[in-house]
Amino acid sequence: MELPIIYVRGFAGGGSGIDKAVDDPFYGFNEGAVHVRVGKDSTPRFYQFESPMLRLITEQHYRLLVHGSQEAYLDRTPDGEVPSNSIWVHRFYDQAASTFGQEPQAYVLEKAAQDLFEFVQKVRRKTGAPRVDLVAHSMGGLICRSMIQRFIPELTRPANGPLRLDAAVDHVERLFTYGTPHGGIEFGIGFGLLEKARDLININGAEIFGPDRMYDYLTPREDPAVRGERPRDWNPARMPADGFPVQRVFCLVGTNPEDYDVALGLSSKVVGARSDGLVQIDNAYVPDAHRAFVHRSHSGRYGLVNSEEGYQNLRRFLFGDLEVRVELHDRRVRGEEDDDIVWQLETQLSIRGLPIVMHEQTTAHHCPVQIEWRAPEDTVDTPVPLLTTFLATAERPHDVRTGEMAPTVRHALRLRLLSIREKGGIFGFFDHLEQTADFDDTLVVDFRPPEGAAPAQAWATWNSQLPGAIRDWQPGDAPPLADDAADVPGVWRGRVPLPASGQAILGDGATIVLTVSGRPPAGG
């Protein structure tokens, strides 16, 4: 069955911002966009994106059931009779608005998280759905995590019993966040003084993005009346290992600070280039959770939420039936032990039939894969995770010549390895060619899911080895890859050696390992 989707919006700021937010029946999630940066002259082009809500309605057949008031509609409808394929909005700012003829109440994140849990329970009860999916922008992701990490364990705790940190799995299926400051909001200038001033003055409640307040609303308490002290090594972005599984979390990370024009663009200047204009890249995801990087801003006409990139990642995470994990194995960079050369790997993921890049980590966007960064326990043989994405086998495009659905799901991974000499924090350019890749190739992968007695199969080839255009390549032109996980139900795993140009730098054994896993249906 389709699970209900609950949207949770981000930070609205002061009174005027809150009033503007509540005036919209869907808190802004119904807003689309008509700008996209494409074209060889780099000027903005017209591209009409309807909004994530409308796309869910038209493509996934979801329903908006407001009828004057979503709360009133739910209250008057008998339990189990509300359609589960429905979209809801957590309107937590309504009580803080001045437009409803009532005295505005101060916004408190903890109350928004507790109210969200009540709303989740009501939606589950009225629809009969076992769980809900949560979709959140910016601060909304922190409200969701507060509910998941603190309040569900506290509010469902049996009398005199222990806290169950993973209790949210009984209520929430998946969490998708757009530009959420999971690690807080930090500034690229001021040596920490700006953060301290923000948390002390608390303008418009902005202290919620500082570590002390985050520890408050993200940490469950044995005794709710006892606050507790924040440990020095506590990381707000990290979710408890024995809590809600991070495999159920997807973080969309924006890498475009230039088009975030809030406060005349001052935010992006203060936060820094390695951000979406408000949230720094390193703070925008939960460690070990699924994530994708897209060149979008925190909000606005080039924002994450009202973008095709955001929607396609959301749709496949919620409804895709395949999980694809890509890793680089057995790489040994020549001379890496004592060399001053820094190696950076750019990755771009495209899926056949989509007009956008699903994932993009590049040096120009300040987020390449640093292939030499290792944890203390890592060795040169430790796999380098490149990306995880989700595919929907039902979304295969139809062949323009035959009209039939393509037999395989095709995606392409571009790898571009660049290097630069650095010593003592200073770049050396005497042997450097700017933006010239040492290795540049595209791996084209076709995956055919299992059907009846036929097992899953996959084909892969490097673009440099194709005789013509990629669109003309047919999987049958080469034998399928060997399945290294044939004895593991629901899992396919294959290895693709890098071409000679890549192995010359990354080692003779450098290999791309693809792991494709089946996913249970929503609510399953």
Side-chain angles (χ1 to χ4, degrees), residues 339-360:
D339 206 342
D340 298 332
I341 297 178
V342 177
W343 297 92
Q344 299 173 331
L345 188 64
E346 297 186 340
T347 61
Q348 290 179 310
L349 175 71
S350 300
I351 296 176
R352 181 170 53 185
L354 296 184
I356 47 86
V357 175
M358 289 284 289
H359 168 90
E360 186 173 20

Side-chain angles (χ1 to χ4, degrees), residues 138-139 141-142 145 149 177-187 195 198-199 206-215 217-218 230 234-239 251 253 271 276 278-287 298:
S138 192
M139 179 195 69
L142 299 179
R145 284 186 55 200
Q149 291 180 218
T177 66
Y178 296 95
T180 289
H182 291 284
I185 293 180
E186 299 175 309
F187 304 113
E195 291 90 339
R198 172 202 62 199
D199 298 346
E207 67 165 353
I208 60 173
F209 303 115
D212 288 334
R213 281 289 286 118
M214 295 184 76
Y215 183 75
Y217 59 75
L218 292 177
R230 174 173 64 89
W234 182 75
N235 180 359
R238 190 170 294 280
M239 298 179 71
C251 306
V253 182
V271 174
D276 63 8
L278 181 63
V279 181
Q280 291 179 332
I281 289 174
D282 290 335
N283 287 337
Y285 58 86
V286 171
H298 190 75

Side-chain angles (χ1 to χ4, degrees), residues 7-13 17-18 20-22 24 26-29 89-93 107 135-143:
Y7 274 89
V8 188
R9 71 153 288 142
F11 188 60
I18 291 174
K20 182 180 179 181
V22 302
D24 189 316
F26 305 111
Y27 269 26
F29 287 109
V89 178
H90 179 36
R91 296 186 59 90
F92 59 88
Y93 266 132
Y107 163 73
V135 180
H137 176 227
S138 192
M139 179 195 69
L142 299 179
I143 294 174

